Amino acid sequence: MRAHDFSLPALRLNLNGLVEVLSPTHLYHWDIDSFGAHKQDMNMASIDEFENHVWKDVIPPDDLRLYAPYARQTFVGPSPAFLAIDLYNSAYRGGPRLPVDLDREFPNSCGIYAHRAIEPTKRLFAAARRARLQTFYCTQETRPLNRPHGAYSTRRDLASPISAAELYGIYHEFSPHPSDVVITKQRASVFQGTPFLSHLNLLGIRSLIICGESTSGCVRASAVDAYSNGFHVTIVEECTYDRAELTHKVNLFDLHHKYCDVMHLDEVVQHLDGLAEQRLAPVAE
Amino acid sequence: MRAHDFSLPALRLNLNGLVEVLSPTHLYHWDIDSFGAHKQDMNMASIDEFENHVWKDVIPPDDLRLYAPYARQTFVGPSPAFLAIDLYNSAYRGGPRLPVDLDREFPNSCGIYAHRAIEPTKRLFAAARRARLQTFYCTQETRPLNRPHGAYSTRRDLASPISAAELYGIYHEFSPHPSDVVITKQRASVFQGTPFLSHLNLLGIRSLIICGESTSGCVRASAVDAYSNGFHVTIVEECTYDRAELTHKVNLFDLHHKYCDVMHLDEVVQHLDGLAEQRLAPVAE
Amino acid sequence: MRAHDFSLPALRLNLNGLVEVLSPTHLYHWDIDSFGAHKQDMNMASIDEFENHVWKDVIPPDDLRLYAPYARQTFVGPSPAFLAIDLYNSAYRGGPRLPVDLDREFPNSCGIYAHRAIEPTKRLFAAARRARLQTFYCTQETRPLNRPHGAYSTRRDLASPISAAELYGIYHEFSPHPSDVVITKQRASVFQGTPFLSHLNLLGIRSLIICGESTSGCVRASAVDAYSNGFHVTIVEECTYDRAELTHKVNLFDLHHKYCDVMHLDEVVQHLDGLAEQRLAPVAE
Amino acid sequence: MRAHDFSLPALRLNLNGLVEVLSPTHLYHWDIDSFGAHKQDMNMASIDEFENHVWKDVIPPDDLRLYAPYARQTFVGPSPAFLAIDLYNSAYRGGPRLPVDLDREFPNSCGIYAHRAIEPTKRLFAAARRARLQTFYCTQETRPLNRPHGAYSTRRDLASPISAAELYGIYHEFSPHPSDVVITKQRASVFQGTPFLSHLNLLGIRSLIICGESTSGCVRASAVDAYSNGFHVTIVEECTYDRAELTHKVNLFDLHHKYCDVMHLDEVVQHLDGLAEQRLAPVAE
């Protein structure tokens, strides 16, 4: 069916020199405002579901009314890449317990919140790889002579008995593939002091699908930078976490209204499976 | 004569080529970690007061315990500049009422929260000008042909019956002086797509004192960028506001623990008055 | 003919989520290294012509031998935008005379070199507009309170009897259209302290066609930033100029070998006319 | 006691919150335009010597006349750091021969020009270390999974039989010390996609002393970025080199007039020795 759409010979270049094709594929090259009659072809989340997210139980009704004008359909943007933020060992140390009970022995572990996200994140990785998205990871820079004293992601200066390389290695469930790119950073945002932005431009990436931690730290800083640099951003709710629930929820609320589309795992996986199917479509003769 | 001044033993250069002088002034040129015995000379807020801020009533006790390792003395950093974020007319429209009651007629007004901050902000401006700090403002870019469709600070796309120039002019209580610099921006952070960072470097600025709105929008985005770019950041609690209280409080909490020193107006004014006094000291022969 | 290629139904998504089409159009979405058998479909300049440019008469033969490994086909990249650098009145003042004879009365005028480029640049503008490329201009920032003392494009600090707004207005032959974007900058590069990069990302732009002045100043700084940020850059030789010939030629030589494709006006116009033709092609049913 | 030092009338804060001291030291905290009567205290190169540099024999007299208005005293700026650009093994391979004779076997070697600069560069390193400047190196990023295909410093794509880690290790004569910082980059400029700028801000650095290679590549790109980001830049002529003489000379000419102070090794060493002496001055009680 998609394959059939695909054989339609309807092509031309749009104002930005991007191929325009009258098929769902083509939507990836249109500005959201120019979707017109093609909207129904996309996996977009209904405007009625705009506030159907994890923050529902903490945002006061008056604040939801105040933010009502931000309501819109949410979607995965054109030419997406997949970004997994700070899925390093340190976030999982101590197992699925409350961070407050782990912090003394395992500082900065996300404990239960990290472990709760493992299965959903494995589903997301599988879908992103089926759709052959370029996958980026980021983690802390740990090599020698890499920074002067004081250049840290946050004001918390951690001393640790175990090696930084071990703390900041990617968690075994999400090991990088040879075609992936791992960005090492010294600050919260994956854009700050790294070549990430130039890589996105080089590859023609126009939007990001983001998962990882922490919602209020590296995820928020990276997502705001991505939006402000001109990219569409989708954050996968079930695959994003923090060390405290209120902070997690209020930050997702801020991001969803101001900068990003917070979407549910099922919505994003459905969209990625659509891309995967198209990419497997045989080339017509 | 010069040579004699030059041989004054109260001076030498430190590793970064900054003047080291055995006086509180000099501390402004030391890294926080090298204060040592000089700490008592600074106007720093006690570590015991680290959580004595507006978020006290909304952050759960377990989360405060979790974040306890971030506690530290707070202070105004070396070579500070003063940054007033988005103090434009739009934030004050409709008067001191609840934003939720104003939004239909005056979208994005901060209403009561903006008006509540006017008197404290006037005190802060007066102290910053007495101390002869370089003052920066930022506001929205409004001139013709300045951007393509879609380049906005947030996902909320506003249409307004009154002119953008009027909406985004600086509020009359805080009109710029001829020596001030006004940064026009298209995104949330004052650093994003503007010459602000190069100006700070040119002037030898090493830290920022920030006030304005919104806490969860332009203030947070700017403060995180400032920290991540190597600047010390002080946010003045009573002079910073948002459109919703929970969002305001949780964002200040995040900023205080991860990136900035949220301080009270009295503490910052006391520090600025110390600077002003030094600057008025006559030069001896 | 192109239109016929266009009706080929061969589509699929590539790894970056970009449409792949077995037609010249499609090449715009392939990395230069993946062109393979399709190269002949593009308007590329032959590798044999790689050094057939204005610098031929100043670069010593040994240096040309040294740089021989850089030889490659040159081309206009995918999803191009058109960037006209510093085509402001100041560059044309005093008429078509040698800058050295004009500098006292008209400091920084490019004189004869600016006027010599007017007709070719008009041809380039016409072709870019026919192809419906997004057009960007840049010029100096001149509004009040825009910078502290010392923030200039170069070390030459100019005082002028006539207004900056007049000096830095776009030259009448190249007046912007309502859909164009004019970037105002304080430094040499159009990327430095401006929202230009975020605009390119927002629009899905992947390469630039550059003209303007000066080759050794704003053109070089902008072209190097574009390349280093992941964009393909084409500089149109006949539409680029400086105030001194040796400097102009050696800078074009550097740019061509290290960062950009310096191409002749005819090659670029031919390519743009190909795009224009495609965009006028009717959509097949 | 502190109070007494504090009341020394030789100090006050200037507009930027920097210590003002009536001694040459203090000049490091003044804008070049505010030096006034203090100029004679600095190690500045005379305006009469402005064109007394390596480019004298290639720049035509008319061009020197055209650029005469750029003439000014040159100097090392305030709070300097030392930056050694791309002093990696690859630049020295094949020994002190002409690059054109080495390129086939040792692509991108600077041969004779690299080796000619070894002794002067050792003198510069020694002076910078005596003055206890923060030293930064940069070199190519070589670790696995660090970039997508196509993200290179220049358009020349090198395949090499020997390991990248070996090619891009710092040359043995200039091995980093434990307190140095080594910036790994993927593009020409040390600022592009690296945390270098945030480190300079964190350390209060206001100017750079630059040496290394290549003049027309990484040195020029880095120096222009430094100037455009608000730093004063001094390039040490005898310690900077390229693969071709004309390119080297014209690029130094451009940098000197537009963005930087190109100075001679003796001038810079004399200045650094002045800093070293001050830092050894005992602190009186």
Side-chain angles (χ1 to χ4, degrees), chain B residues 3-212:
Chain B
H4 173 266
D5 290 349
F6 193 33
S7 66
L8 283 177
L11 304 179
R12 61 185 169 187
L13 289 189
N14 69 9
L15 274 174
N16 302 331
L18 295 168
V19 177
E20 288 188 354
V21 188
L22 299 185
S23 81
T25 308
H26 163 46
L27 297 179
Y28 302 153
H29 295 288
W30 279 2
D31 181 276
I32 178 64
D33 298 317
S34 58
F35 279 175
H38 301 279
K39 271 184 177 166
Q40 76 284 354
D41 294 324
M42 289 192 76
N43 302 311
M44 301 178 78
S46 157
I47 192 167
D48 307 330
E49 297 297 305
F50 191 69
E51 300 293 351
N52 185 18
H53 288 285
V54 67
W55 54 77
K56 273 187 307 186
D57 64 345
V58 301
I59 306 299
D62 271 2
D63 296 355
L64 290 174
R65 278 178 47 221
L66 180 65
Y67 278 89
Y70 286 82
R72 61 190 184 274
Q73 286 183 299
T74 56
F75 63 101
V76 174
S79 308
F82 176 45
L83 171 63
I85 296 178
D86 292 4
L87 298 184
Y88 44 61
N89 296 320
S90 172
Y92 299 86
R93 293 173 70 219
R97 296 162 55 203
L98 284 177
V100 68
D101 299 330
L102 291 169
D103 194 64
R104 170 160 307 182
E105 192 179 356
F106 306 107
N108 281 3
S109 172
C110 296
I112 179 63
Y113 307 119
H115 286 268
R116 187 169 74 183
I118 289 176
E119 286 312 314
T121 304
K122 287 166 71 173
R123 268 191 69 205
L124 181 60
F125 265 84
R129 298 206 183 276
R130 281 195 304 273
R132 301 170 60 201
L133 261 54
Q134 175 67 54
T135 296
F136 291 92
Y137 293 77
C138 60
T139 186
Q140 277 292 315
E141 172 68 80
T142 58
R143 76 179 130 192
L145 304 181
N146 75 78
R147 76 185 82 187
H149 176 75
Y152 305 121
S153 298
T154 72
R155 297 294 301 271
R156 182 174 188 179
D157 191 352
L158 289 171
S160 171
I162 74 172
S163 80
E166 185 176 336
L167 283 176
Y168 296 119
I170 302 299
Y171 190 59
H172 64 85
E173 294 273 21
F174 310 111
S175 300
H177 291 192
S179 63
D180 299 337
V181 175
V182 180
I183 304 292
T184 53
K185 59 190 179 72
Q186 303 186 355
R187 302 297 192 164
S189 169
V190 66
F191 289 88
Q192 173 63 45
T194 80
F196 185 56
L197 180 53
S198 65
H199 294 341
L200 297 181
N201 296 333
L202 185 73
L203 298 172
I205 301 302
R206 299 188 62 192
S207 57
L208 295 175
I209 298 171
I210 292 180
C211 72

Side-chain angles (χ1 to χ4, degrees), chain A residues 33 58 66 70 72 149 152 154-156 187 216 220 227-228 243 246-247 251 254 258 261, chain B residues 33 58 66 70 72 149 152 154-156 187 192 216 220 227-228 243 246-247 251 254 258 261:
Chain A
D33 299 318
V58 300
L66 181 65
Y70 285 83
R72 62 191 184 274
H149 177 75
Y152 305 119
T154 72
R155 299 293 301 270
R156 182 174 187 179
R187 302 298 192 163
S216 64
R220 179 165 181 159
Y227 172 76
S228 298
R243 306 175 67 224
L246 178 65
T247 302
N251 275 278
D254 287 345
K258 291 185 164 70
D261 290 357
Chain B
D33 298 317
V58 301
L66 180 65
Y70 286 82
R72 61 190 184 274
H149 176 75
Y152 305 121
T154 72
R155 297 294 301 271
R156 182 174 188 179
R187 302 297 192 164
Q192 173 63 45
S216 63
R220 179 164 180 158
Y227 172 76
S228 298
R243 305 175 66 223
L246 177 65
T247 302
N251 275 278
D254 286 345
K258 291 185 164 69
D261 289 356

Side-chain angles (χ1 to χ4, degrees), chain C residues 33 58 66 70 72 149 152 154-156 187 192 216 220 227-228 243 246-247 251 254 258 261, chain D residues 33 58 66 70 72 149 152 154-156 187 216 220 227-228 243 246-247 251 254 258 261:
Chain C
D33 299 317
V58 301
L66 181 65
Y70 286 83
R72 60 190 185 276
H149 177 75
Y152 305 121
T154 72
R155 297 293 300 269
R156 182 174 188 179
R187 302 297 192 164
Q192 175 63 45
S216 63
R220 179 165 179 156
Y227 172 75
S228 298
R243 305 175 65 223
L246 178 65
T247 302
N251 275 278
D254 286 345
K258 291 186 163 68
D261 289 357
Chain D
D33 298 317
V58 300
L66 180 65
Y70 285 82
R72 61 190 184 275
H149 176 75
Y152 305 120
T154 72
R155 298 295 300 268
R156 183 174 188 180
R187 301 297 192 165
S216 63
R220 178 165 180 157
Y227 172 76
S228 298
R243 306 174 66 223
L246 178 65
T247 301
N251 275 277
D254 286 345
K258 291 187 164 68
D261 289 358

Side-chain angles (χ1 to χ4, degrees), chain A residues 125-260:
Chain A
F125 265 84
R129 298 206 182 276
R130 282 196 303 273
R132 301 171 59 200
L133 261 54
Q134 174 68 54
T135 297
F136 290 91
Y137 294 77
C138 60
T139 186
Q140 277 293 315
E141 171 69 80
T142 60
R143 74 179 132 191
L145 305 180
N146 74 77
R147 76 185 83 186
H149 177 75
Y152 305 119
S153 298
T154 72
R155 299 293 301 270
R156 182 174 187 179
D157 190 352
L158 290 170
S160 171
I162 75 172
S163 80
E166 184 176 337
L167 284 176
Y168 297 119
I170 302 299
Y171 190 59
H172 64 86
E173 294 274 21
F174 310 111
S175 300
H177 291 192
S179 64
D180 300 337
V181 175
V182 179
I183 303 292
T184 53
K185 59 190 178 74
Q186 303 187 354
R187 302 298 192 163
S189 169
V190 66
F191 289 88
Q192 174 63 45
T194 80
F196 184 56
L197 180 53
S198 65
H199 294 342
L200 298 181
N201 295 333
L202 185 73
L203 297 172
I205 301 301
R206 299 188 63 192
S207 57
L208 295 175
I209 298 171
I210 293 180
C211 71
E213 61 91 18
S214 73
T215 315
S216 64
C218 298
V219 169
R220 179 165 181 159
S222 300
V224 173
D225 277 356
Y227 172 76
S228 298
N229 277 292
F231 298 90
H232 181 275
V233 179
T234 299
I235 295 177
V236 186
E237 181 173 308
E238 294 82 356
C239 305
T240 305
Y241 53 98
D242 205 322
R243 306 175 67 224
E245 282 292 72
L246 178 65
T247 302
H248 171 66
K249 292 175 177 180
V250 172
N251 275 278
L252 275 190
F253 174 83
D254 287 345
L255 287 166
H256 186 61
H257 289 78
K258 291 185 164 70
Y259 309 112
C260 309

Side-chain angles (χ1 to χ4, degrees), chain C residues 31 33 58-60 62-63 65-67 69-70 72 75 99-101 103 108 149-150 152-156 187-188 192 214 216-218 220-221 224-225 227-230 232 242-247 250-251 253-254 257-261, chain D residues 31 33 58-60 62-63 65-67 69-70 72 75 99-101 103 108 149-150 152-156 187-188 192 214 216-218 220-221 224-225 227-230 232 242-247 250-251 253-254 257-261:
Chain C
D31 180 276
D33 299 317
V58 301
I59 305 298
D62 271 2
D63 295 356
R65 279 178 48 220
L66 181 65
Y67 278 89
Y70 286 83
R72 60 190 185 276
F75 62 102
V100 68
D101 299 329
D103 195 64
N108 282 1
H149 177 75
Y152 305 121
S153 298
T154 72
R155 297 293 300 269
R156 182 174 188 179
R187 302 297 192 164
Q192 175 63 45
S214 73
S216 63
C218 299
R220 179 165 179 156
V224 173
D225 277 356
Y227 172 75
S228 298
N229 278 292
H232 181 275
D242 206 321
R243 305 175 65 223
E245 283 291 74
L246 178 65
T247 302
V250 172
N251 275 278
F253 175 82
D254 286 345
H257 289 77
K258 291 186 163 68
Y259 308 112
C260 309
D261 289 357
Chain D
D31 181 276
D33 298 317
V58 300
I59 305 298
D62 271 1
D63 295 356
R65 278 178 49 220
L66 180 65
Y67 278 89
Y70 285 82
R72 61 190 184 275
F75 62 102
V100 68
D101 298 329
D103 195 64
N108 282 2
H149 176 75
Y152 305 120
S153 297
T154 72
R155 298 295 300 268
R156 183 174 188 180
R187 301 297 192 165
Q192 175 63 46
S214 72
S216 63
C218 299
R220 178 165 180 157
V224 173
D225 276 356
Y227 172 76
S228 298
N229 277 292
H232 181 275
D242 206 321
R243 306 174 66 223
E245 283 291 73
L246 178 65
T247 301
V250 172
N251 275 277
F253 174 82
D254 286 345
H257 288 77
K258 291 187 164 68
Y259 308 112
C260 309
D261 289 358

